Amino acid sequence: MVIKKRPSFKEIKQSTATHASPEELFKKLPGRASTHGYLRGPQQDVLRAYAEKDATTSDVAFELPTGTGKTAVGLLIAEWKRLSGQKVAYLCLTNQLAGQVLLEAEKVGLSCADLRGSKETRSSLEEGRYRTGQAVAVTTYSNLFNTYPVIKEADLIICDDAHGAEQYVSDMWTVSASIFNNAPLYESLVAGLRPGLSESQMRVILDRSSFAAMEMADVQGHPECIDNVIQVLDQLQNDNARYAWKLIRHRIDCCLFLVSPFEVTIRPLIPPTFKHAPFANAKQRIYMSATLGGESDLLRAYGILKLHIIRAKSEQWGRRYVFVPGVYTSEEDAYKIAGQLWDGMKTRRAVVLAPSTRILERTINAFQGATQNTPTRMGAADIENSLNGFTASLDVVLGLAGRYDGLDLPDDQCRLLFLSESPAAINALERHLSERWKMGPILRRRERTRLTQGMGRCTRNATDFAIIFWLGQSLVNSATSGVLINALPTELAAEIRWGVE
C-alpha cells in the first residue's frame, strides 16, 4: 500500500502558477476527499465561465440554486485570487453563517481568517493573517458596511446571499426611529416633519391600526422640515442612528423621508456605496445567491452601474407540501388547522418568516393561541452565532422578520415552515412604493425571489422535505395569481398549484 503525503499549504501556494482556474486549484486541495473528490456539474459550469470571461470583470453575480455548493464555489475563487497575491474578503449575513463558511473551508483544506465579532472580541492574529495575505477573511456585511470597518482594503469582495444583504448595505446610510425602541425620537421627528405632511397623511400616521401605511414627507416644498430634522438629530447621544446621521447629514436634501404610524426612516433612494472606499475600491465584487431575481434589483441594492450574471442550471432540491388553507377557510380557522398539525407532530420545531416585525408578532401570537402544546419563541438574536439552541429544542418556534435567505435547516432539524403575508415589501421604501405608488407589479419580481428563497430554508438536499403553510390574505392572493406562480421555478410552481387544489 502506498500512502501519499498530504501536500503542505506552502506546496499548494508554490504550484499556484500552474492553476489555470479554480477547478485546477480544487484538484490540489488536501481536503478534496471530503467532497467526494469532484465538483458538481453546476459548480464546474459557473467556475469555468468565470475563469474564461469574468476573472477581471468588476461586478459579477453567480446564481447557484440550493444544494449546488455555492459556498464551495465562492471559497475556491477566493483562494485562487488570494494565491495570486490579492486580499480577499468573504461576507456573510450573520456570524452563524460565517461560521458555516469557516467549517466548509476547513473541510476542503483552505485556511481562512475568522474576522467575526467586534474589535473587542476579534483576534488580532486573525486580522494580521488577512492583512498580510496569508488567509481569506470571513466576516459579516456589517464589518464592511460600517463607519469603522474591519475590512478596510480588499481586492476581491465576495457577497454571499447577496439579495438578503440589501438591508445591511442600506442601513449604513439609514436613520431610523421606531416608536417601540425610541418613542421620544420618533415623536420629535414626526413633529419636525409635520409641515411637509398633509392632513390626510397625518390621519394615516395617527391611525395605529394601519401597519402597512408608509407616507413620504414633502421636504423640498417645505425646507423648514430639513432644519427641524437636523436640529433633532444633531442632539443624538447614545442612539445607534448617530453613525448613519454623520454620513447623510450634509446630503440630507437628497434623502427620502418616510413616515409610518410606527417608524420614521430617512435614507437615500440608492445607497451611495461609491463613497465607501472599502467597497468601492475593490478590484472585483462577486454577488452569490440561490435566487438572484433581476439584475436591476442588485444594481440598486449595491449602488453599482453594471453587472454580469452567471446562472447555473439546476432543479430546485427537495420536496415541499405547500398548504394554503386561506383559499377555502377563514384566517382564524387557518391558524386552528396549523395548530392541530403542530400538536400532532412528534418533533415540534417550526420557522416563521414574515416581511415585518409587526406581522411576525401577530402571526406567532395567533399560532401560539391555536396550539395545545404552546411553543416557546426564538428570534434572530438567538441564532446569531449558532443554530444549536433551536435545533436542540422541542416545542419551539423561530421567528424572523424580513429575512428569507441565509438559513439552512436540513432534514430533521426542521420540517415545518410558515410564510406569513407576502414578502413583496419588507422595508420602509418598498412598502411606500407598493402602498402609495402602486408599484406592486414592479415589486413582484422581488416577491418571487423571496418566496423561492424562503421556501428553500428547510429543503437543503435532494431527499429533504418539509410542510409549508402560507398564511395571510396577501399570500392567498399570490397563491391564486397565475402571473406570479407561472414565473416561479417549475417544481415550486407545481407544488403550490397542487397545494391549492
Side-chain angles (χ1 to χ4, degrees), residues 24 37 46 84 123 139 161 228 247 264 267 286 390 458 467-468:
E24 292 297 318
V46 297
S84 68
S123 166
T139 187
D161 297 320
N228 295 340
L247 297 178
V264 173
R267 56 160 291 177
I286 294 176
F390 172 69
C458 300
I467 297 173
I468 300 178

Side-chain angles (χ1 to χ4, degrees), residues 294-306:
E295 175 184 353
S296 57
D297 289 338
L298 278 177
L299 295 178
R300 287 190 294 268
Y302 290 87
I304 54 179
L305 299 176
K306 190 177 180 182

Side-chain angles (χ1 to χ4, degrees), residues 34 67 108 142 186 191 238 244 251 253 290 358 418 429-430 445 454 462 465 478 483 499:
S34 65
V108 297
S142 57
Y186 169 83
N238 300 319
R251 299 305 303 273
D253 57 315
R358 281 187 56 76
F418 294 97
L429 178 58
E430 290 178 351
R445 184 171 55 207
F465 60 89
S478 297
V483 174

Side-chain angles (χ1 to χ4, degrees), residues 97-346:
L97 290 170
Q100 289 186 5
V101 172
L102 290 165
L103 287 175
E104 180 76 12
E106 185 178 348
K107 287 180 182 178
V108 297
L110 295 177
S111 178
C112 292
D114 183 356
L115 296 190
R116 293 176 291 175
S118 63
K119 182 179 179 181
E120 292 72 26
T121 60
R122 281 192 302 269
S123 166
S124 298
L125 177 61
E126 293 292 276
E127 289 190 39
R129 293 177 62 223
Y130 163 66
R131 288 172 181 162
T132 56
Q134 297 179 48
V136 172
V138 177
T139 187
T140 58
Y141 282 90
S142 57
N143 274 332
L144 183 137
F145 291 101
N146 194 302
T147 50
Y148 301 101
V150 64
I151 305 296
K152 294 183 174 66
E153 295 179 1
D155 298 300
L156 171 64
I157 297 173
I158 297 178
C159 302
D160 203 357
D161 297 320
H163 264 300
E166 179 180 352
Q167 197 68 25
Y168 292 85
V169 178
S170 62
D171 276 352
M172 184 174 174
W173 294 276
T174 300
V175 172
S176 182
S178 167
I179 196 171
F180 304 110
N181 299 330
N182 194 334
L185 179 59
Y186 169 83
E187 298 291 352
S188 296
L189 288 174
V190 172
L193 292 171
R194 179 64 185 86
L197 296 164
S198 67
E199 291 300 324
S200 61
Q201 285 180 309
M202 282 304 301
R203 282 194 294 271
V204 170
I205 293 169
L206 294 175
D207 180 7
R208 298 284 190 250
S209 65
S210 181
F211 66 87
M214 186 64 65
E215 301 292 339
M216 182 183 293
D218 177 16
V219 299
Q220 300 300 326
H222 300 272
E224 65 270 27
C225 291
I226 294 180
D227 295 331
N228 295 340
V229 167
I230 290 176
Q231 185 176 358
V232 170
L233 294 179
D234 276 349
Q235 299 175 19
L236 286 177
Q237 296 292 330
N238 300 319
D239 196 284
N240 287 333
R242 69 186 187 278
Y243 297 110
W245 175 237
K246 291 178 182 178
L247 297 178
I248 67 173
R249 186 188 188 282
H250 298 293
R251 299 305 303 273
I252 191 173
D253 57 315
C254 300
C255 291
L256 305 176
F257 294 76
L258 304 171
V259 187
S260 82
F262 306 99
E263 184 179 32
V264 173
T265 299
I266 305 171
R267 56 160 291 177
L269 178 62
I270 297 175
T273 54
F274 59 91
K275 299 286 287 183
H276 189 48
F279 179 82
N281 293 344
K283 295 177 182 177
Q284 186 176 56
R285 294 166 290 265
I286 294 176
Y287 311 88
M288 301 196 305
S289 179
T291 313
L292 281 175
E295 175 184 353
S296 57
D297 289 338
L298 278 177
L299 295 178
R300 287 190 294 268
Y302 290 87
I304 54 179
L305 299 176
K306 190 177 180 182
L307 180 68
H308 184 253
I309 296 179
I310 301 174
R311 299 182 190 271
K313 296 181 180 179
S314 178
E315 294 183 354
Q316 193 76 23
W317 279 36
R319 285 294 176 263
R320 290 146 293 272
Y321 185 114
V322 182
F323 195 36
V324 195
V327 170
Y328 65 85
T329 189
S330 67
E331 184 172 355
E332 182 180 356
D333 286 340
Y335 279 103
K336 289 180 180 178
I337 294 169
Q340 290 170 2
L341 173 66
W342 171 267
D343 290 327
M345 294 178 70
K346 182 178 180 181

Side-chain angles (χ1 to χ4, degrees), residues 1 32 54 59 94 171 228 232 237 277 387 453 468 486:
M1 180 176 68
R32 180 167 59 99
D54 295 299
D59 292 279
T94 66
D171 276 352
N228 295 340
V232 170
Q237 296 292 330
L387 286 169
Q453 291 169 338
I468 300 178
N486 292 337

